[in-house]
């Protein structure tokens, strides 16, 4: 901005000085032309008679002229002829300056004076029929005219300087307010570590800086969630793997040389390693559940999905598997994840029922959501476990399990993660005649409207 003002000042000064030069030259020439016209007429306006003396001609003309502040009008004919008007540092008081103008061969020129250069324009005159010669001169003190320009430029420079300082002050204040959120971003970023990621930037207003703050906060939320998932995974792995590792180490430490003892120990180690592998797989599923691409919904036939699940779960155990209800609609879900959740619920039902018991599965779709469920006739869920059974490592009461194996308590957590990834929910309720019903409600975008649910062939009523 300073460079711009300086450039404008120099340009404006050059323009004004050039204008002064033209105005001085034009003004002097105009005065000379007026005198030439007056001399050409040659009539004294007071008497009406022709002029017979050049001094009278020049004096009469000068009496009717009103020069500007820095303009001088004078004549010469056997001596100086001038007005009573004078200027400070009157150059006409110096005979040398007057002689330099009168005796100059040209009609225009510049002569130095104590007050600066004086520009002049001269007209030589003779009366008709006479030999006497005189001269009329219009002169300007150029330096004084230019001084006014410099005063103007100085005033403009002073005003510009004040305006520049004021603009800088305003810009500093405005820039400070604009950049304040950016400083918050920088300071917050400097303060954030893996253990201190809860800081957020205050969002003020609705401008681009506010949007930047919101975007930065969203990024911090994602990082916080990622770190939380990482810590959860590490904590879960340490919590759940400690027991099988301890078992494996204990058996290996006491293993003797007896072949039967070795075989028994290797079987225990193999079983525990398999259990650790399942635990790690489950933990990885739960960790991936926090990622946006954990589920990939696609239009799916609810009937085909339910029938496929019914076919798969029959290999889980010797139970009477009943397809209780099946919908005709097309829903938008992730087939693999929903199948995974239903198989996990079926596995849970197998663990709490005996051979030959009935396990029912079904799925229907309403206007806003699809419901998938697995129902058994086992011991049910104790009331105190209903609210916590879907939590991580929550095994609930295991008294009704039909074998001595106890899971890691992650299966139902995976079911809940799959439901939440679909923006749905999980639920459990005890059946009136015994057993429990586990289900998933998943919001869907129906690709085909007007469908209805129907009982499957041989199925009982939906409880």
């Amino acid at each position: 901005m300073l460079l711009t003002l300086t450039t404008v000042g120099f340009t404006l000064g050059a323009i004004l000085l050039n204008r002064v030069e033209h105005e001085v030259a034009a003004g002097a020439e105009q005065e000379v032309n007026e005198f030439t016209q007056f001399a050409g007429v040659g009539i004294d306006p007071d008497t009406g008679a022709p002029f017979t003396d050049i001094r009278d001609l020049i004096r009469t003309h000068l009496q009717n002229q009103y020069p500007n502040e820095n303009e001088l009008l004078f004549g010469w004919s056997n001596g100086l002829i001038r007005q009573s008007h004078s200027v400070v540092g009157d150059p006409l008081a110096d005979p040398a300056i007057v002689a330099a103008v009168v005796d100059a061969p040209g009609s225009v020129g510049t002569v130095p004076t104590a007050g600066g250069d004086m520009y002049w324009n001269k007209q030589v005159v003779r009366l008709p029929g006479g030999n006497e010669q005189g001269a009329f001169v219009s002169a300007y003190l150029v330096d004084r005219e230019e001084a006014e320009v410099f005063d103007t430029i100085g005033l403009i420079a002073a005003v510009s300087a004040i305006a520049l300082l004021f603009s800088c002050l305003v810009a500093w204040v405005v820039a400070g307010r604009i950049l304040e959120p950016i400083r918050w971003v920088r300071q917050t970023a400097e303060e954030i570590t893996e253990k201190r990621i809860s800081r957020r930037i205050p969002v003020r207003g609705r401008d681009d800086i506010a949007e930047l703050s919101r975007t930065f906060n969203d990024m911090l939320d994602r990082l916080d969630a990622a770190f939380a998932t990482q810590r959860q995974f590490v904590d879960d792995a340490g919590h759940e793997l400690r027991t099988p590792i301890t078992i494996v180490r204990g058996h290996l430490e006491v293993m003797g040389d007896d072949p039967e003892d070795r075989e028994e120990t290797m079987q225990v180690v193999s079983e525990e390693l398999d259990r650790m592998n399942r635990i790690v797989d489950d933990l990885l599923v739960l960790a991936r559940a926090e990622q946006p691409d954990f589920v990939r919904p696609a239009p799916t036939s609810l009937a085909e999905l339910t029938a496929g699940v019914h076919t798969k779960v029959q290999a889980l155990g010797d139970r009477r598997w009943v397809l209780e209800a099946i919908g005709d609609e097309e829903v938008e879900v992730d087939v693999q994840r929903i199948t995974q959740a239903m198989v996990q619920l079926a596995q849970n039902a197998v663990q709490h029922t005996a051979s030959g018991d009935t396990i029912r599965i079904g799925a229907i779709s309403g206007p806003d959501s699809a419901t998938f469920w697995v129902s058994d006739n086992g011991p049910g869920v104790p009331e105190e476990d209903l609210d916590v059974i879907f939590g991580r490592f929550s095994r609930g009461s295991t008294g009704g399990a039909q074998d001595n194996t106890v899971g890691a308590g992650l299966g139902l957590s995976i079911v809940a993660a799959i439901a939440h990834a679909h923006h749905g929910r999980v639920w459990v309720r005890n059946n009136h005649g015994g057993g429990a019903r586990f289900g998933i409600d998943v919001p869907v975008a129906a690709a085909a409207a007007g469908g209805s649910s129907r009982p499957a062939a041989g199925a009982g009523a939906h409880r």
Side-chain angles (χ1 to χ4, degrees), residues 11 13 63 66 68 95-96 125 153 180 191 229 234 236 240-241 243 262 266 275 293 369 381 463:
T11 303
Q63 290 175 350
Y66 302 94
N68 297 328
V125 62
I153 295 175
E180 186 177 5
E191 295 173 0
T229 301
V234 174
D236 291 347
E240 197 60 29
L241 295 178
T243 298
R262 284 178 174 271
M266 295 306 298
R275 186 156 74 97
D293 60 346
S369 63
V381 180
R463 291 186 297 172

PDB file of all heavy atoms in Angstrom, residues 11 13 63 66 68 95-96 125 153 180 191 229 234 236 240-241 243 262 266 275 293 369 381 463:
ATOM      1  N   THR A  11       3.327  10.346  -9.452  1.00  0.00           N
ATOM      2  CA  THR A  11       2.589  10.526 -10.710  1.00  0.00           C
ATOM      3  C   THR A  11       1.747  11.792 -10.664  1.00  0.00           C
ATOM      4  O   THR A  11       1.725  12.581 -11.625  1.00  0.00           O
ATOM      5  CB  THR A  11       1.699   9.299 -10.967  1.00  0.00           C
ATOM      6  OG1 THR A  11       2.511   8.119 -10.979  1.00  0.00           O
ATOM      7  CG2 THR A  11       0.981   9.427 -12.291  1.00  0.00           C
ATOM      8  N   GLY A  13       2.224  14.405  -8.778  1.00  0.00           N
ATOM      9  CA  GLY A  13       3.118  15.567  -8.797  1.00  0.00           C
ATOM     10  C   GLY A  13       3.589  15.905 -10.198  1.00  0.00           C
ATOM     11  O   GLY A  13       3.606  17.082 -10.595  1.00  0.00           O
ATOM     12  N   GLN A  63      -3.088  49.520 -17.250  1.00  0.00           N
ATOM     13  CA  GLN A  63      -4.044  49.996 -16.256  1.00  0.00           C
ATOM     14  C   GLN A  63      -5.323  49.152 -16.218  1.00  0.00           C
ATOM     15  O   GLN A  63      -6.023  49.125 -15.203  1.00  0.00           O
ATOM     16  CB  GLN A  63      -4.398  51.465 -16.551  1.00  0.00           C
ATOM     17  CG  GLN A  63      -3.261  52.438 -16.274  1.00  0.00           C
ATOM     18  CD  GLN A  63      -3.610  53.854 -16.696  1.00  0.00           C
ATOM     19  OE1 GLN A  63      -4.635  54.088 -17.361  1.00  0.00           O
ATOM     20  NE2 GLN A  63      -2.745  54.814 -16.343  1.00  0.00           N
ATOM     21  N   TYR A  66      -5.391  42.902 -14.691  1.00  0.00           N
ATOM     22  CA  TYR A  66      -5.375  42.444 -13.297  1.00  0.00           C
ATOM     23  C   TYR A  66      -4.635  41.093 -13.234  1.00  0.00           C
ATOM     24  O   TYR A  66      -5.246  40.027 -13.397  1.00  0.00           O
ATOM     25  CB  TYR A  66      -6.796  42.298 -12.762  1.00  0.00           C
ATOM     26  CG  TYR A  66      -7.575  43.579 -12.847  1.00  0.00           C
ATOM     27  CD1 TYR A  66      -8.400  43.849 -13.949  1.00  0.00           C
ATOM     28  CD2 TYR A  66      -7.471  44.549 -11.858  1.00  0.00           C
ATOM     29  CE1 TYR A  66      -9.100  45.033 -14.042  1.00  0.00           C
ATOM     30  CE2 TYR A  66      -8.178  45.741 -11.945  1.00  0.00           C
ATOM     31  CZ  TYR A  66      -8.987  45.981 -13.040  1.00  0.00           C
ATOM     32  OH  TYR A  66      -9.668  47.164 -13.141  1.00  0.00           O
ATOM     33  N   ASN A  68      -2.437  37.760 -12.054  1.00  0.00           N
ATOM     34  CA  ASN A  68      -2.537  36.793 -10.955  1.00  0.00           C
ATOM     35  C   ASN A  68      -1.460  37.072  -9.912  1.00  0.00           C
ATOM     36  O   ASN A  68      -0.581  37.929 -10.101  1.00  0.00           O
ATOM     37  CB  ASN A  68      -2.386  35.362 -11.483  1.00  0.00           C
ATOM     38  CG  ASN A  68      -3.509  34.994 -12.435  1.00  0.00           C
ATOM     39  OD1 ASN A  68      -4.629  35.466 -12.278  1.00  0.00           O
ATOM     40  ND2 ASN A  68      -3.204  34.166 -13.437  1.00  0.00           N
ATOM     41  N   PRO A  95      17.389  45.911 -12.376  1.00  0.00           N
ATOM     42  CA  PRO A  95      17.499  46.325 -13.795  1.00  0.00           C
ATOM     43  C   PRO A  95      18.119  45.248 -14.669  1.00  0.00           C
ATOM     44  O   PRO A  95      17.800  45.142 -15.855  1.00  0.00           O
ATOM     45  CB  PRO A  95      18.371  47.569 -13.735  1.00  0.00           C
ATOM     46  CG  PRO A  95      18.244  48.087 -12.334  1.00  0.00           C
ATOM     47  CD  PRO A  95      18.062  46.878 -11.480  1.00  0.00           C
ATOM     48  N   ALA A  96      18.983  44.440 -14.088  1.00  0.00           N
ATOM     49  CA  ALA A  96      19.637  43.405 -14.893  1.00  0.00           C
ATOM     50  C   ALA A  96      18.629  42.385 -15.397  1.00  0.00           C
ATOM     51  O   ALA A  96      18.724  41.882 -16.518  1.00  0.00           O
ATOM     52  CB  ALA A  96      20.724  42.721 -14.075  1.00  0.00           C
ATOM     53  N   VAL A 125       6.538  46.116 -30.188  1.00  0.00           N
ATOM     54  CA  VAL A 125       5.481  46.903 -30.829  1.00  0.00           C
ATOM     55  C   VAL A 125       6.052  48.208 -31.396  1.00  0.00           C
ATOM     56  O   VAL A 125       6.963  48.799 -30.797  1.00  0.00           O
ATOM     57  CB  VAL A 125       4.356  47.193 -29.822  1.00  0.00           C
ATOM     58  CG1 VAL A 125       4.857  48.016 -28.644  1.00  0.00           C
ATOM     59  CG2 VAL A 125       3.193  47.905 -30.495  1.00  0.00           C
ATOM     60  N   ILE A 153       0.939  18.579  -2.899  1.00  0.00           N
ATOM     61  CA  ILE A 153       1.453  17.211  -2.800  1.00  0.00           C
ATOM     62  C   ILE A 153       1.816  16.879  -1.355  1.00  0.00           C
ATOM     63  O   ILE A 153       1.571  15.769  -0.869  1.00  0.00           O
ATOM     64  CB  ILE A 153       2.671  17.024  -3.728  1.00  0.00           C
ATOM     65  CG1 ILE A 153       2.234  17.179  -5.198  1.00  0.00           C
ATOM     66  CG2 ILE A 153       3.324  15.668  -3.505  1.00  0.00           C
ATOM     67  CD1 ILE A 153       3.378  17.131  -6.182  1.00  0.00           C
ATOM     68  N   GLU A 180      -7.409 -14.865  14.865  1.00  0.00           N
ATOM     69  CA  GLU A 180      -7.497 -15.433  16.208  1.00  0.00           C
ATOM     70  C   GLU A 180      -7.918 -16.897  16.197  1.00  0.00           C
ATOM     71  O   GLU A 180      -7.285 -17.729  16.870  1.00  0.00           O
ATOM     72  CB  GLU A 180      -8.471 -14.619  17.060  1.00  0.00           C
ATOM     73  CG  GLU A 180      -8.515 -15.063  18.515  1.00  0.00           C
ATOM     74  CD  GLU A 180      -9.446 -14.191  19.345  1.00  0.00           C
ATOM     75  OE1 GLU A 180     -10.113 -13.309  18.755  1.00  0.00           O
ATOM     76  OE2 GLU A 180      -9.497 -14.379  20.570  1.00  0.00           O
ATOM     77  N   GLU A 191      -1.044 -28.440  21.565  1.00  0.00           N
ATOM     78  CA  GLU A 191      -1.358 -29.031  22.866  1.00  0.00           C
ATOM     79  C   GLU A 191      -1.875 -30.453  22.769  1.00  0.00           C
ATOM     80  O   GLU A 191      -1.957 -31.158  23.773  1.00  0.00           O
ATOM     81  CB  GLU A 191      -2.392 -28.170  23.587  1.00  0.00           C
ATOM     82  CG  GLU A 191      -1.890 -26.773  23.941  1.00  0.00           C
ATOM     83  CD  GLU A 191      -2.991 -25.902  24.504  1.00  0.00           C
ATOM     84  OE1 GLU A 191      -4.123 -26.404  24.614  1.00  0.00           O
ATOM     85  OE2 GLU A 191      -2.725 -24.731  24.827  1.00  0.00           O
ATOM     86  N   THR A 229     -10.658 -46.483  19.950  1.00  0.00           N
ATOM     87  CA  THR A 229     -10.767 -47.847  19.428  1.00  0.00           C
ATOM     88  C   THR A 229      -9.468 -48.622  19.633  1.00  0.00           C
ATOM     89  O   THR A 229      -9.467 -49.805  19.999  1.00  0.00           O
ATOM     90  CB  THR A 229     -11.113 -47.798  17.937  1.00  0.00           C
ATOM     91  OG1 THR A 229     -12.355 -47.098  17.758  1.00  0.00           O
ATOM     92  CG2 THR A 229     -11.254 -49.195  17.362  1.00  0.00           C
ATOM     93  N   VAL A 234      -6.482 -52.740  22.563  1.00  0.00           N
ATOM     94  CA  VAL A 234      -5.344 -53.163  23.381  1.00  0.00           C
ATOM     95  C   VAL A 234      -5.819 -53.654  24.751  1.00  0.00           C
ATOM     96  O   VAL A 234      -5.370 -54.705  25.256  1.00  0.00           O
ATOM     97  CB  VAL A 234      -4.327 -52.017  23.534  1.00  0.00           C
ATOM     98  CG1 VAL A 234      -3.219 -52.404  24.511  1.00  0.00           C
ATOM     99  CG2 VAL A 234      -3.719 -51.668  22.177  1.00  0.00           C
ATOM    100  N   ASP A 236      -8.813 -54.770  25.554  1.00  0.00           N
ATOM    101  CA  ASP A 236      -9.564 -56.023  25.411  1.00  0.00           C
ATOM    102  C   ASP A 236      -8.635 -57.201  25.175  1.00  0.00           C
ATOM    103  O   ASP A 236      -8.816 -58.287  25.754  1.00  0.00           O
ATOM    104  CB  ASP A 236     -10.555 -55.904  24.251  1.00  0.00           C
ATOM    105  CG  ASP A 236     -11.681 -54.930  24.559  1.00  0.00           C
ATOM    106  OD1 ASP A 236     -11.826 -54.555  25.734  1.00  0.00           O
ATOM    107  OD2 ASP A 236     -12.394 -54.534  23.615  1.00  0.00           O
ATOM    108  N   GLU A 240      -8.420 -60.308  27.706  1.00  0.00           N
ATOM    109  CA  GLU A 240      -8.963 -61.610  27.353  1.00  0.00           C
ATOM    110  C   GLU A 240      -7.896 -62.647  27.016  1.00  0.00           C
ATOM    111  O   GLU A 240      -8.106 -63.851  27.177  1.00  0.00           O
ATOM    112  CB  GLU A 240      -9.922 -61.448  26.159  1.00  0.00           C
ATOM    113  CG  GLU A 240     -10.848 -62.621  25.951  1.00  0.00           C
ATOM    114  CD  GLU A 240     -11.746 -62.865  27.160  1.00  0.00           C
ATOM    115  OE1 GLU A 240     -12.071 -61.897  27.882  1.00  0.00           O
ATOM    116  OE2 GLU A 240     -12.110 -64.036  27.388  1.00  0.00           O
ATOM    117  N   LEU A 241      -6.727 -62.206  26.543  1.00  0.00           N
ATOM    118  CA  LEU A 241      -5.685 -63.153  26.169  1.00  0.00           C
ATOM    119  C   LEU A 241      -4.836 -63.592  27.362  1.00  0.00           C
ATOM    120  O   LEU A 241      -4.082 -64.567  27.268  1.00  0.00           O
ATOM    121  CB  LEU A 241      -4.779 -62.544  25.093  1.00  0.00           C
ATOM    122  CG  LEU A 241      -5.439 -62.255  23.751  1.00  0.00           C
ATOM    123  CD1 LEU A 241      -4.445 -61.611  22.794  1.00  0.00           C
ATOM    124  CD2 LEU A 241      -5.996 -63.540  23.129  1.00  0.00           C
ATOM    125  N   THR A 243      -5.703 -64.957  30.195  1.00  0.00           N
ATOM    126  CA  THR A 243      -6.070 -66.266  30.766  1.00  0.00           C
ATOM    127  C   THR A 243      -5.568 -67.429  29.917  1.00  0.00           C
ATOM    128  O   THR A 243      -4.905 -68.345  30.445  1.00  0.00           O
ATOM    129  CB  THR A 243      -7.592 -66.342  30.947  1.00  0.00           C
ATOM    130  OG1 THR A 243      -8.010 -65.323  31.862  1.00  0.00           O
ATOM    131  CG2 THR A 243      -8.001 -67.708  31.489  1.00  0.00           C
ATOM    132  N   ARG A 262       2.306 -85.565  27.581  1.00  0.00           N
ATOM    133  CA  ARG A 262       2.623 -84.623  26.506  1.00  0.00           C
ATOM    134  C   ARG A 262       1.433 -84.432  25.565  1.00  0.00           C
ATOM    135  O   ARG A 262       1.116 -83.323  25.146  1.00  0.00           O
ATOM    136  CB  ARG A 262       3.833 -85.119  25.713  1.00  0.00           C
ATOM    137  CG  ARG A 262       5.159 -84.928  26.423  1.00  0.00           C
ATOM    138  CD  ARG A 262       6.300 -85.497  25.578  1.00  0.00           C
ATOM    139  NE  ARG A 262       7.587 -85.193  26.186  1.00  0.00           N
ATOM    140  CZ  ARG A 262       8.282 -84.089  25.950  1.00  0.00           C
ATOM    141  NH1 ARG A 262       7.802 -83.191  25.109  1.00  0.00           N
ATOM    142  NH2 ARG A 262       9.448 -83.887  26.541  1.00  0.00           N
ATOM    143  N   MET A 266      -0.466 -80.986  24.856  1.00  0.00           N
ATOM    144  CA  MET A 266      -0.551 -80.403  23.517  1.00  0.00           C
ATOM    145  C   MET A 266      -1.999 -80.163  23.113  1.00  0.00           C
ATOM    146  O   MET A 266      -2.318 -79.186  22.416  1.00  0.00           O
ATOM    147  CB  MET A 266       0.151 -81.317  22.502  1.00  0.00           C
ATOM    148  CG  MET A 266       1.652 -81.444  22.713  1.00  0.00           C
ATOM    149  SD  MET A 266       2.474 -79.830  22.752  1.00  0.00           S
ATOM    150  CE  MET A 266       2.092 -79.230  21.113  1.00  0.00           C
ATOM    151  N   ARG A 275      -8.776 -70.851  20.940  1.00  0.00           N
ATOM    152  CA  ARG A 275      -9.605 -69.863  21.635  1.00  0.00           C
ATOM    153  C   ARG A 275      -9.014 -68.461  21.492  1.00  0.00           C
ATOM    154  O   ARG A 275      -9.743 -67.493  21.263  1.00  0.00           O
ATOM    155  CB  ARG A 275      -9.745 -70.231  23.109  1.00  0.00           C
ATOM    156  CG  ARG A 275     -10.717 -69.333  23.871  1.00  0.00           C
ATOM    157  CD  ARG A 275     -11.264 -70.035  25.089  1.00  0.00           C
ATOM    158  NE  ARG A 275     -10.288 -70.128  26.162  1.00  0.00           N
ATOM    159  CZ  ARG A 275     -10.242 -69.271  27.186  1.00  0.00           C
ATOM    160  NH1 ARG A 275     -11.112 -68.273  27.242  1.00  0.00           N
ATOM    161  NH2 ARG A 275      -9.361 -69.433  28.139  1.00  0.00           N
ATOM    162  N   ASP A 293     -16.554 -48.035   6.585  1.00  0.00           N
ATOM    163  CA  ASP A 293     -16.851 -49.047   5.567  1.00  0.00           C
ATOM    164  C   ASP A 293     -17.060 -50.432   6.187  1.00  0.00           C
ATOM    165  O   ASP A 293     -16.941 -51.446   5.505  1.00  0.00           O
ATOM    166  CB  ASP A 293     -15.723 -49.105   4.535  1.00  0.00           C
ATOM    167  CG  ASP A 293     -14.380 -49.455   5.165  1.00  0.00           C
ATOM    168  OD1 ASP A 293     -14.271 -49.394   6.403  1.00  0.00           O
ATOM    169  OD2 ASP A 293     -13.443 -49.794   4.411  1.00  0.00           O
ATOM    170  N   SER A 369     -38.265 -50.058   9.184  1.00  0.00           N
ATOM    171  CA  SER A 369     -37.161 -50.899   9.631  1.00  0.00           C
ATOM    172  C   SER A 369     -37.453 -52.363   9.343  1.00  0.00           C
ATOM    173  O   SER A 369     -38.602 -52.775   9.186  1.00  0.00           O
ATOM    174  CB  SER A 369     -36.909 -50.706  11.131  1.00  0.00           C
ATOM    175  OG  SER A 369     -38.032 -51.122  11.876  1.00  0.00           O
ATOM    176  N   VAL A 381     -32.994 -65.291  29.893  1.00  0.00           N
ATOM    177  CA  VAL A 381     -31.947 -64.381  30.380  1.00  0.00           C
ATOM    178  C   VAL A 381     -32.397 -63.820  31.722  1.00  0.00           C
ATOM    179  O   VAL A 381     -33.504 -63.279  31.829  1.00  0.00           O
ATOM    180  CB  VAL A 381     -31.703 -63.230  29.375  1.00  0.00           C
ATOM    181  CG1 VAL A 381     -30.614 -62.300  29.904  1.00  0.00           C
ATOM    182  CG2 VAL A 381     -31.317 -63.787  28.015  1.00  0.00           C
ATOM    183  N   ARG A 463     -43.896 -64.969  17.862  1.00  0.00           N
ATOM    184  CA  ARG A 463     -44.148 -64.596  19.250  1.00  0.00           C
ATOM    185  C   ARG A 463     -43.535 -63.259  19.551  1.00  0.00           C
ATOM    186  O   ARG A 463     -42.426 -62.985  19.134  1.00  0.00           O
ATOM    187  CB  ARG A 463     -43.562 -65.649  20.179  1.00  0.00           C
ATOM    188  CG  ARG A 463     -44.326 -66.964  20.103  1.00  0.00           C
ATOM    189  CD  ARG A 463     -43.820 -67.945  21.143  1.00  0.00           C
ATOM    190  NE  ARG A 463     -42.426 -68.273  20.884  1.00  0.00           N
ATOM    191  CZ  ARG A 463     -41.674 -68.980  21.721  1.00  0.00           C
ATOM    192  NH1 ARG A 463     -42.173 -69.376  22.875  1.00  0.00           N
ATOM    193  NH2 ARG A 463     -40.436 -69.279  21.447  1.00  0.00           N
TER     194      ARG A 463
END
